[in-house]
Amino acid sequence: MGGNVSSTNFQPDYKPYRLASPFSELEHSYDVVVIGSGYGGSIAASRAARAGLKVCLLEKGKEWRPGDFPEKELNAVKELQMTVHNEKKGYGNSTSLYDLIVSPDVAVLQGCGLGGTSLINANVGLDCETRIYDDEVWPQAFRDDLEKFTTLDRDRVYDMLKPTEYPDNHLDMDKLPKMAAMEKAAKHIADIEDLEYDKILRKVPLYVNFKNKEENHVGIPQPACINCGNCCGGCNTGAKNTLNMNYLPDAKAHGAKMFTEVEVKNITRDEKTDSWRVHYVHHGQDAFENRERVVRAQVVILGAGSLGSTNILLQSKNNGLELSTNIGQRFTTNGDALGFSYNGEDKIRPAGKEVPKVRKRRKGPGPCITSVIDMRHRTDKGLGESYVLEDGTPPCSVDVPYKFLLRWVDSGVDTTPGENDWREWGRHLVGKGWKNSLAFLSMSNDDSSGELKLDPKNGRVWVHYPKVGEGDNFQVVKNGMTHATTALKGYFVPNPFWGGLAAKIRDTKGIVTVHPLGGCIMAESGKDGVVNHAGQAYKGDTDELLPGLYVMDGAVMPRCLGVNPSLTIAMVAERCMRLMAEQRGWNIDYASTKKIDLSLSATPNKPGIKFTERMVGKMSVGNKSSDSDFILTIETQDVEKMISEDPSHAANIYGSVSIPALSDSHLTVSNGHFTLFSKSDGKHHTREMTYRMLLTSNEGQTYYFEGVKVVSKDSAFEIGLSDTTTLNVSLYKGEDNKGDVVGTGRLHIRVKDFIKQLGTMVVTNTTSPLQRLKWKTKFGNFFAGCLWEVYGFAGSPDTAFNPNAPPREKRALKLDDVVPKVHKVSTKDDTELLLTRYEGGTKGPVMLVHDLGMSSRIFVVDTVETNLLEYLVSKGYDVWLADWRASILLPSHKEKSTLDDSAKYDIPALVDKILEVTGSPDIQVMGQCGGSLLVFASLLSGQLEGKIRCLIASQVAFFTHPEKSTWKVNVPHLLYGDGLTAYTDTEVGWKGRFVNRLFETAADLSTEFGEHCSNSVCHRVTIMYGRLYEHDNLSKDTHDNLHEQFGFCSVAFLKHMSKCFSKNYLVSADGKNIYLPDHNKKKPLESVDYMARMRYLNLPILFINGEDNRVYDPKGMDQSYERCKEANPEQDYQRKTSPGYGHIDSIIGKDAVHHVFPKLLPFLDKYAEAGSVVKYTPQKKQSIVPELTVKGDMTDSSLAHAYHYGGEDESMHAQNGDSQVGNGHTTTHENGSNNNGHQFSWHKHGRQGGMRDRSPKNSPRNSPRSSPRSSPRASPSGSPDLGRRESLAPINEPQ
């Protein structure tokens, strides 16, 4: 942490430095519990620790270190939490840094984090004027102790906070512009008030360090202030003397433990043990129910600030604690006011600047406040006219809204009309007026008559202070600001909530305060206040005191202070601790020079991980049994050791356990340890997850919890949900497992909780996004297997287009409680396929089939608002994602397979698996591009008879007319051996860069200028397949991550597709017309072979494509649709297009959920139920793919397929002099011929029942369709027409 202190660029590295302890180290009881870490809380922790006590400090916010604070507007907004009166839900996270509470007349801004408001205050250490203490609202004992208070206690504060005035010529710079402006203003006000300006203008003491220090007085390295001006946004250099630079590390050095993200709810008294119960929630487990837990102490000190401490005591009173009825009374805004001088004659440097820019240019505005015009010491004026006026520099994180306010919302009132109007107007017009602006911060004395009340809707306090802005003190301040603005020849702009646009709209002069005081005021008894002069709480409205309960922060101030209050609050806290030590016999070692050991405070140098889980089940205690559960967070400081199953490594556990049979309250966990997958003794191929922890009830009883999950798998990747989610529990009396067993039970994880658990995984101990995502993904894959891909929020590290960039964060899929189930499918040619099921409801099942060179990932893309999987699941569908052999997720995608292979083996195997698992008689299918072509090939080859309920053909069907610009570059695959890949990355070698450049040039030549981009994967995709999408339809994240969707496509597939394109219809890999024989005849409907194939398409089909498809000409879809309608005129065929969409953007487009998916739903819904379409079932399935044998002049494919409906089996056979046998039955023949002149016969088998006559038109059996025994009516061409499938119910027919 050291550095060259003589260097002006000295900057310690604060990243490893940590004050807060891991929450798992929180014990169940302490001597002293301090609530809050502002000036009061930090001082209490420091002094109690120096007294040798066991101290625990609880802070609601997070720990912030220099370098962590936001300097960009959007980042600052992310750290804003806002609570509005009478609204249940607030904005932002409850642990965010900037805490804004908005009430009807008053808004309060305070800091939330370890160090309290010192993190974002202006560092000013001004004393109260002595007249403030003359007010009799202060207890007599306090006023009698003023000498020690203003000397001894003040000196102790100064020794720790080190207030220092801004040095002359700091950083070798002349006087700061804003200090020169304040000097002008002071002279003008002094002239008006008939005062000497040097008596009212002075520098303010600042808690800021102006010299480089390798080690300050408590052992923390600190650089000198660089004048960035970001004090109120958070100091990113470490020069600001926040409490994290003094009192807090001092407390830690002397043994205090600090815990962050802990929100105290209330306090209760345990008279039996003479101790206090502090009820809290830990915000590290917000994904689950945020349960209250308890830590116990002999002494509890509230230092949570005016609003925080008052809130806790109000909640405690509501829960039965006997406290004064005056809680919340005498709240004061401290007379805070804000105003601006806009567009004056001099440049000011009006706002803070980002640290890197200041280091480079060294012209920062200076600390937030540097000087004060002090109007408090006029003996002829009362306190109501007393005020201070300070220069103010807003942080750079509010630079934009600050400019907007001054330039557009309210440019103010010209204080010097007629002077330099044209120059002023010109600066305002071009936006330079803001550079000549100065903010004023003022404190004065309001009447301290506000009240803090609990808001029942949100549980926080709000300020009831009607008409506070109407007070005379604020008008006095406004006059002073106007005079100061006049001196600067600017436009005076009041606080918009007090005198600006917002005030006019609301018709209320609202106040924004950063110095809230009161609510738990000190007084002579409980009748008048809440605590005594030493901060100890009264019991009810009496003068009796509650033992061990104290408040020592701004809440105890009985009146307005009229100046920056931090010094006074700190002095009061020092006094309270001095008096407490005297009363309780403590010895505070003020002389100790012990410094913090930074090596012990350092963040572990290895990445850790934490996650939260919830388990539910039954626990039996004695004769009682009850529903029980726990919510636990498991945290390790070394994730690598955990994954390696190091038997010596145990993670920590904290949380709560609910066992109603044992205790009515939640049991608080402490001293918990978790071991992941240690070898199970005596059991082969098993591992265990063990949970061991101490439980403490609200009554103070302790129990030891021991739980074991036995996992009977060798590979964590193969762990099933049931294996990882059942815990066998034993419960012992006492603090270890040597006590009596008091209970046993079994707990398990529910699906929805398991999904939440995956979302809680956080990598710790590293600020590197790359490291965080790397270890998050490794642990997630190890712990959750395939579930991690869906719910893990992290990208796969093996698809990093830029290997040096951090892997991207994935969003969790919106699937509610639906958990994926992976089914491995083996084909008859021993190829391994995958089916992933998302059982979103009872509709379907529906199988989604991806394109060539891609995978099922296209249906689960997370870079869009809602993907197709999420859409269908939300509509109640049982969705199955199919990864066939061309999927880039499978090893088989690099093998030399064709569409013929996939049609014969893959699709049938996938469909059969779904039918087997679901028990459904048929399924719905949607095929995207190559997936659609593949399904048609499988259908037309007779592989899927009776199994497909309906089909959505997306982008292409069985006629494959290429768009003119597509596939004219279909030769390059010949140069690339086994195939082409769309994948590349930013660090390819020279050959890869050359190829990328070649692809980029070719892509640019084949697309419009508006479709050009710099993404190498995009260029490769365009050349491999054509223009697959309109760029405007893709989100930036989708386009940047195309490498996740596209990969290698084998040359065999590419060649096969090329043949289909050249023929304009689906053909076999060798170019033969085996799927649509005779389709190109003048009268194809008269061809038995053709009609045999088209009968397989006698099912509802939706043909849909993008209107701007640049891969396939839509006329191919039109032709496929028309051919189906001709062959099966009564079937439900539908034709739709998606305007503005191309090819794959119909699936992965950012707005496809709004424009495309709704076009699919009505069709799917129409056939959502199994059996909604009556199907035919063959007695024997025959395949034409890929083996073709010729018998005489005919192929088996022209003979082997008949028309199968219901339970009937009829076959068509050649009349070649041989006796023909079909399916084991001898057949008789009737006259007919095929298109090759061969004789054929219609026949029926000698089988009873379940038969339909398929006689041609001239058969005497032909009768009207209305007859229950009728055969299909003839089409106009004279060919048999089987019509809609629904009309073909089976008929029993005698021999």
Side-chain angles (χ1 to χ4, degrees):
M1 279 226 175
N4 179 7
V5 295
S6 62
S7 170
T8 57
N9 291 320
F10 170 58
Q11 179 58 61
D13 179 12
Y14 292 103
K15 289 180 182 178
Y17 162 58
R18 179 162 60 185
L19 288 171
S21 298
F23 188 74
S24 56
E25 294 182 10
L26 180 65
E27 299 181 33
H28 61 87
S29 66
Y30 293 85
D31 296 327
V32 178
V33 168
V34 178
I35 302 168
S37 58
Y39 290 97
S42 296
I43 289 170
S46 166
R47 299 323 186 194
R50 280 177 176 258
L53 299 167
K54 185 179 178 182
V55 179
C56 162
L57 181 146
L58 304 177
E59 165 57 46
K60 175 186 171 185
K62 298 172 286 190
E63 180 170 0
W64 291 83
R65 292 163 288 192
D68 292 343
F69 296 98
E71 292 190 343
K72 301 287 188 182
E73 289 84 357
L74 291 179
N75 293 335
V77 169
K78 292 177 183 177
E79 284 301 328
L80 173 67
Q81 55 171 305
M82 182 169 66
T83 305
V84 179
H85 169 54
N86 213 27
E87 291 189 9
K88 184 175 182 179
K89 190 174 182 180
Y91 169 85
N93 192 300
S94 59
T95 61
S96 294
L97 177 62
Y98 311 110
D99 187 5
L100 181 64
I101 301 94
V102 180
S103 304
D105 293 272
V106 177
V108 178
L109 177 64
Q110 57 190 8
C112 180
L114 189 62
T117 301
S118 78
L119 297 172
I120 62 168
N121 70 3
N123 335 300
V124 176
L126 284 172
D127 289 287
C128 277
E129 62 172 313
T130 56
R131 288 187 295 169
I132 293 292
Y133 300 123
D134 294 337
D135 193 328
E136 293 185 359
V137 295
W138 298 91
Q140 187 63 51
F142 181 87
R143 284 178 281 147
D144 291 344
D145 196 32
L146 281 176
E147 183 178 352
K148 283 187 177 180
F149 176 70
T150 56
T151 55
L152 178 61
D153 298 323
R154 183 179 185 275
D155 289 345
R156 285 172 176 163
V157 174
Y158 258 65
D159 285 344
M160 292 297 286
L161 296 181
K162 308 291 184 185
T164 307
E165 293 182 356
Y166 184 83
D168 293 333
N169 299 315
H170 178 56
L171 301 179
D172 299 323
M173 294 172 63
D174 295 332
K175 184 180 295 185
L176 295 172
K178 65 176 185 171
M179 294 181 73
M182 287 293 286
E183 187 173 334
K184 278 188 179 182
K187 288 180 179 179
H188 185 68
I189 292 174
D191 287 344
I192 293 174
E193 299 284 347
D194 195 21
L195 300 169
E196 296 181 30
Y197 94 91
D198 57 348
K199 295 290 181 65
I200 63 172
L201 177 69
R202 64 187 181 100
K203 296 178 181 179
V204 295
L206 298 171
Y207 313 135
V208 177
N209 182 54
F210 293 103
K211 292 182 179 179
N212 291 324
K213 297 177 181 178
E214 282 191 325
E215 194 177 80
N216 70 5
H217 55 296
V218 297
I220 304 294
Q222 274 191 279
C225 174
I226 64 170
N227 284 350
C228 70
N230 294 321
C231 310
C232 289
C235 179
N236 276 325
T237 65
K240 181 179 176 180
N241 291 333
T242 64
L243 294 163
N244 307 58
M245 297 292 173
N246 35 72
Y247 278 110
L248 289 174
D250 182 73
K252 186 177 179 75
H254 289 87
K257 292 282 189 178
M258 296 166 230
F259 302 95
T260 56
E261 298 185 77
V262 180
E263 181 179 359
V264 172
K265 292 296 188 178
N266 62 83
I267 303 162
T268 56
R269 179 73 178 161
D270 187 347
E271 296 292 352
K272 291 183 181 179
T273 59
D274 190 29
S275 64
W276 293 95
R277 292 183 291 255
V278 178
H279 301 258
Y280 67 87
V281 294
H282 179 239
H283 286 291
Q285 297 178 326
D286 288 345
F288 295 92
E289 175 191 353
N290 219 339
R291 291 176 175 171
E292 284 191 8
R293 283 168 264 171
V294 170
V295 60
R296 306 170 76 90
Q298 298 301 308
V299 174
V300 174
I301 301 171
L302 280 84
S306 174
L307 275 63
S309 294
T310 302
N311 192 329
I312 292 168
L313 289 189
L314 282 170
Q315 298 278 14
S316 302
K317 184 175 176 62
N318 288 346
N319 281 306
L321 185 60
E322 196 172 354
L323 293 165
S324 170
T325 57
N326 287 293
I327 301 173
Q329 300 299 316
R330 292 195 64 78
F331 174 83
T332 171
T333 66
N334 202 38
D336 283 4
L338 177 66
F340 310 91
S341 169
Y342 170 66
N343 198 7
E345 66 177 350
D346 298 319
K347 290 185 178 180
I348 303 289
R349 297 177 198 162
K353 295 185 177 181
E354 295 173 32
V355 168
K357 293 180 180 178
V358 176
R359 290 193 187 281
K360 185 177 180 180
R361 299 177 185 176
R362 300 189 63 187
K363 285 190 177 181
C368 177
I369 295 173
T370 54
S371 52
V372 59
I373 299 174
D374 195 340
M375 306 297 289
R376 296 179 297 164
H377 304 291
R378 296 172 291 172
T379 56
D380 59 330
K381 304 286 186 180
L383 285 176
E385 297 185 65
S386 171
Y387 69 94
V388 294
L389 189 64
E390 300 164 348
D391 61 285
T393 302
C396 61
S397 57
V398 298
D399 178 87
V400 171
Y402 184 27
K403 290 178 183 177
F404 181 79
L405 167 69
L406 295 183
R407 188 177 180 196
W408 299 110
V409 176
D410 192 343
S411 53
V413 177
D414 191 356
T415 57
T416 57
E419 294 186 35
N420 300 315
D421 287 350
W422 283 103
R423 288 186 180 179
E424 292 168 358
W425 181 82
R427 287 196 299 266
H428 174 73
L429 187 65
V430 299
K432 292 186 177 180
W434 173 77
K435 293 184 178 180
N436 294 27
S437 302
L438 178 65
F440 297 117
L441 306 174
S442 178
M443 283 125 272
S444 59
N445 290 278
D446 62 24
D447 62 9
S448 306
S449 63
E451 182 181 1
L452 296 176
K453 296 184 176 185
L454 268 180
D455 191 328
K457 288 195 173 181
N458 54 50
R460 301 194 73 184
V461 294
W462 64 283
V463 181
H464 178 66
Y465 206 159
K467 303 296 183 183
V468 58
E470 304 289 346
D472 292 339
N473 60 301
F474 292 108
Q475 187 60 47
V476 171
V477 168
K478 179 197 173 185
N479 294 338
M481 290 182 177
T482 303
H483 295 326
T485 303
T486 302
L488 303 180
K489 298 183 179 181
Y491 288 70
F492 174 64
V493 181
N495 171 7
F497 294 97
W498 184 82
L501 181 62
K504 294 172 184 176
I505 293 173
R506 298 171 65 244
D507 194 27
T508 299
K509 289 189 173 182
I511 299 300
V512 178
T513 180
V514 293
H515 302 132
L517 302 172
C520 303
I521 67 166
M522 63 172 68
E524 299 293 354
S525 75
K527 294 180 181 179
D528 304 308
V530 180
V531 299
N532 72 353
H533 69 99
Q536 190 169 2
Y538 287 114
K539 185 175 183 180
D541 289 348
T542 70
D543 57 3
E544 184 181 351
L545 297 169
L546 290 169
L549 181 60
Y550 296 83
V551 183
M552 49 185 72
D553 54 28
V556 306
M557 302 301 159
R559 60 151 296 130
C560 186
L561 300 179
V563 75
N564 310 71
S566 59
L567 179 59
T568 306
I569 294 171
M571 290 164 59
V572 168
E574 284 282 15
R575 178 179 180 274
C576 289
M577 290 305 298
R578 167 170 58 87
L579 296 176
M580 187 189 301
E582 292 173 3
Q583 178 192 29
R584 304 182 75 88
W586 298 347
N587 178 28
I588 300 176
D589 186 2
Y590 291 106
S592 171
T593 58
K594 185 176 182 180
K595 296 181 179 180
I596 189 170
D597 185 344
L598 292 178
S599 64
L600 298 178
S601 301
T603 302
N605 58 9
K606 291 185 176 181
I609 199 162
K610 68 177 180 179
F611 59 92
T612 301
E613 73 174 352
R614 180 180 190 177
M615 301 192 75
V616 301
K618 293 280 187 181
M619 289 291 295
S620 297
V621 179
N623 295 325
K624 296 181 180 179
S625 178
S626 62
D627 292 331
S628 305
D629 69 351
F630 68 53
I631 298 176
L632 301 179
T633 294
I634 297 163
E635 183 172 17
T636 175
Q637 303 302 319
D638 190 340
V639 64
E640 188 171 13
K641 270 193 174 183
M642 179 180 274
I643 291 177
S644 68
E645 306 176 38
D646 186 335
S648 67
H649 178 73
N652 295 319
I653 300 175
Y654 56 85
S656 65
V657 179
S658 175
I659 308 175
L662 188 67
S663 173
D664 292 335
S665 62
H666 296 309
L667 300 153
T668 301
V669 173
S670 58
N671 300 324
H673 300 285
F674 169 83
T675 306
L676 176 63
F677 299 133
S678 61
K679 295 290 191 302
S680 178
D681 295 336
K683 297 177 182 178
H684 188 57
H685 294 308
T686 62
R687 292 171 169 82
E688 293 178 346
M689 299 183 191
T690 60
Y691 298 69
R692 297 181 176 91
M693 50 199 169
L694 183 65
L695 309 182
T696 305
S697 71
N698 281 5
E699 297 74 31
Q701 296 295 320
T702 56
Y703 306 92
Y704 189 75
F705 180 106
E706 191 169 64
V708 178
K709 294 179 187 175
V710 178
V711 182
S712 57
K713 299 284 172 67
D714 286 329
S715 169
F717 184 84
E718 295 296 332
I719 289 173
L721 192 59
S722 61
D723 289 315
T724 55
T725 57
T726 302
L727 183 74
N728 297 307
V729 178
S730 297
L731 201 63
Y732 303 86
K733 189 173 183 179
E735 298 191 0
D736 55 37
N737 60 1
K738 296 178 182 178
D740 295 335
V741 175
V742 296
T744 58
R746 176 172 289 184
L747 305 177
H748 64 275
I749 298 179
R750 296 177 299 189
V751 169
K752 64 180 182 180
D753 291 331
F754 190 71
I755 294 169
K756 285 183 180 179
Q757 176 179 334
L758 296 181
T760 64
M761 290 183 183
V762 177
V763 174
T764 59
N765 307 337
T766 177
T767 58
S768 164
L770 180 62
Q771 286 292 312
R772 282 201 300 263
L773 219 48
K774 168 188 172 182
W775 286 106
K776 187 175 182 180
T777 302
K778 278 191 174 183
F779 182 81
N781 282 324
F782 175 80
F783 183 75
C786 64
L787 298 180
W788 183 250
E789 176 72 16
V790 181
Y791 295 102
F793 308 93
S796 176
D798 61 351
T799 56
F801 178 63
N802 181 355
N804 296 319
R808 71 177 183 88
E809 287 280 343
K810 290 177 64 178
R811 68 167 174 84
L813 298 185
K814 298 176 290 187
L815 298 173
D816 297 325
D817 295 340
V818 178
V819 174
K821 297 178 182 177
V822 176
H823 298 268
K824 293 182 179 180
V825 179
S826 293
T827 66
K828 290 182 179 180
D829 67 340
D830 295 326
T831 301
E832 290 292 324
L833 313 177
L834 285 181
L835 276 170
T836 309
R837 183 185 191 183
Y838 299 83
E839 195 171 359
T842 59
K843 294 180 181 180
V846 57
M847 180 175 74
L848 306 183
V849 187
H850 62 80
D851 199 355
L852 289 166
M854 305 182 78
S855 71
S856 63
R857 283 179 179 172
I858 62 172
F859 304 116
V860 295
V861 58
D862 71 302
T863 51
V864 296
E865 173 192 341
T866 302
N867 57 48
L868 183 56
L869 169 65
E870 292 169 319
Y871 182 80
L872 293 177
V873 166
S874 73
K875 303 301 181 183
Y877 276 89
D878 182 6
V879 184
W880 294 71
L881 304 186
D883 281 283
W884 51 288
R885 69 183 64 204
S887 169
I888 60 174
L889 300 182
L890 303 177
S892 58
H893 80 281
K894 293 191 176 181
E895 296 176 3
K896 293 182 179 180
S897 299
T898 67
L899 290 174
D900 297 335
D901 301 321
S902 302
K904 181 177 181 180
Y905 298 114
D906 296 5
I907 297 301
L910 293 167
V911 171
D912 287 346
K913 185 66 175 181
I914 297 174
L915 298 179
E916 173 193 336
V917 174
T918 64
S920 176
D922 51 24
I923 70 170
Q924 299 172 286
V925 177
M926 174 178 173
Q928 166 63 26
C929 185
S932 175
L933 202 62
L934 176 61
V935 173
F936 275 112
S938 196
L939 279 167
L940 289 167
S941 61
Q943 300 289 323
L944 305 175
E945 290 178 306
K947 300 176 181 179
I948 306 303
R949 190 185 318 152
C950 68
L951 169 65
I952 296 178
S954 177
Q955 310 312 317
V956 69
F958 46 90
F959 283 98
T960 57
H961 293 274
E963 202 270 348
K964 292 181 180 179
S965 63
T966 304
W967 290 78
K968 54 191 174 186
V969 190
N970 55 15
V971 181
H973 63 261
L974 300 175
L975 306 177
Y976 274 75
D978 294 334
L980 286 174
T981 180
Y983 184 77
T984 184
D985 62 49
T986 57
E987 292 194 356
V988 293
W990 69 268
K991 182 179 179 181
R993 289 195 298 272
F994 172 77
V995 172
N996 285 344
R997 182 59 180 166
L998 184 65
F999 274 76
E1000 178 181 7
T1001 302
D1004 287 349
L1005 290 174
S1006 62
T1007 58
E1008 298 91 337
F1009 179 78
E1011 293 294 322
H1012 294 181
C1013 69
S1014 58
N1015 188 320
S1016 296
V1017 176
C1018 183
H1019 302 151
R1020 285 174 174 249
V1021 166
T1022 301
I1023 297 307
M1024 288 175 67
Y1025 307 114
R1027 201 175 97 196
L1028 292 183
Y1029 40 78
E1030 302 293 307
H1031 274 74
D1032 287 346
N1033 287 342
L1034 300 189
S1035 70
K1036 182 179 184 301
D1037 283 343
T1038 300
H1039 187 259
D1040 289 347
N1041 293 282
L1042 288 173
H1043 54 275
E1044 296 178 2
Q1045 303 298 335
F1046 295 93
F1048 178 86
C1049 187
S1050 80
V1051 67
F1053 277 123
L1054 290 171
K1055 285 182 176 180
H1056 193 167
M1057 290 295 290
S1058 294
K1059 283 188 167 58
C1060 293
F1061 268 70
S1062 63
K1063 298 281 190 178
N1064 290 341
Y1065 59 90
L1066 179 62
V1067 297
S1068 65
D1070 57 4
K1072 292 183 179 179
N1073 185 8
I1074 65 172
Y1075 296 105
L1076 294 169
D1078 301 332
H1079 78 275
N1080 50 0
K1081 300 292 184 179
K1082 289 183 179 181
K1083 295 181 179 181
L1085 297 182
E1086 295 180 0
S1087 164
V1088 174
D1089 288 351
Y1090 174 74
M1091 286 302 297
R1093 305 308 180 279
M1094 295 305 293
R1095 294 296 181 192
Y1096 295 131
L1097 302 186
N1098 188 15
L1099 70 154
I1101 302 176
L1102 169 61
F1103 299 86
I1104 184 168
N1105 63 274
E1107 273 191 4
D1108 297 329
N1109 193 323
R1110 302 301 178 90
V1111 180
Y1112 295 97
D1113 191 318
K1115 71 180 182 183
M1117 288 291 267
D1118 294 337
Q1119 189 175 359
S1120 299
Y1121 168 73
E1122 293 298 338
R1123 286 300 185 99
C1124 284
K1125 289 292 288 182
E1126 288 174 359
N1128 306 300
E1130 293 192 15
Q1131 186 52 267
D1132 183 13
Y1133 299 117
Q1134 298 180 23
R1135 181 75 176 94
K1136 295 183 180 180
T1137 59
S1138 301
Y1141 281 82
H1143 190 77
I1144 195 65
D1145 48 349
S1146 295
I1147 303 296
I1148 65 173
K1150 60 186 177 183
D1151 293 319
V1153 65
H1154 303 298
H1155 304 147
V1156 182
F1157 302 166
K1159 294 176 181 288
L1160 312 178
L1161 189 62
F1163 181 78
L1164 288 173
D1165 281 349
K1166 185 174 182 180
Y1167 303 104
E1169 295 183 9
S1172 57
V1173 179
V1174 178
K1175 294 165 290 297
Y1176 51 88
T1177 303
Q1179 295 303 313
K1180 179 180 179 181
K1181 299 176 184 176
Q1182 301 185 37
S1183 173
I1184 60 170
V1185 185
E1187 299 170 359
L1188 301 176
T1189 59
V1190 179
K1191 190 173 183 181
D1193 296 329
M1194 302 175 58
T1195 64
D1196 287 349
S1197 66
S1198 68
L1199 303 175
H1201 294 277
Y1203 312 140
H1204 302 293
Y1205 293 93
E1208 182 180 61
D1209 181 23
E1210 297 182 324
S1211 302
M1212 176 181 63
H1213 294 275
Q1215 184 83 354
N1216 60 3
D1218 296 330
S1219 176
Q1220 300 295 323
V1221 179
N1223 293 336
H1225 296 277
T1226 305
T1227 64
T1228 59
H1229 302 279
E1230 299 179 27
N1231 294 329
S1233 65
N1234 67 9
N1235 289 325
N1236 295 320
H1238 295 276
Q1239 297 297 308
F1240 69 91
S1241 64
W1242 291 100
H1243 58 277
K1244 59 180 181 287
H1245 292 281
R1247 187 185 302 176
Q1248 185 71 27
M1251 301 192 308
R1252 276 302 287 278
D1253 188 356
R1254 300 303 168 209
S1255 303
K1257 182 180 179 183
N1258 59 357
S1259 169
R1261 297 180 56 88
N1262 194 4
S1263 60
R1265 180 170 291 275
S1266 60
S1267 168
R1269 295 167 54 92
S1270 65
S1271 66
R1273 78 182 176 190
S1275 67
S1277 63
S1279 67
D1281 180 3
L1282 302 181
R1284 294 176 61 90
R1285 183 170 295 182
E1286 292 93 322
S1287 66
L1288 299 174
I1291 300 173
N1292 290 330
E1293 180 176 289
Q1295 289 284 359

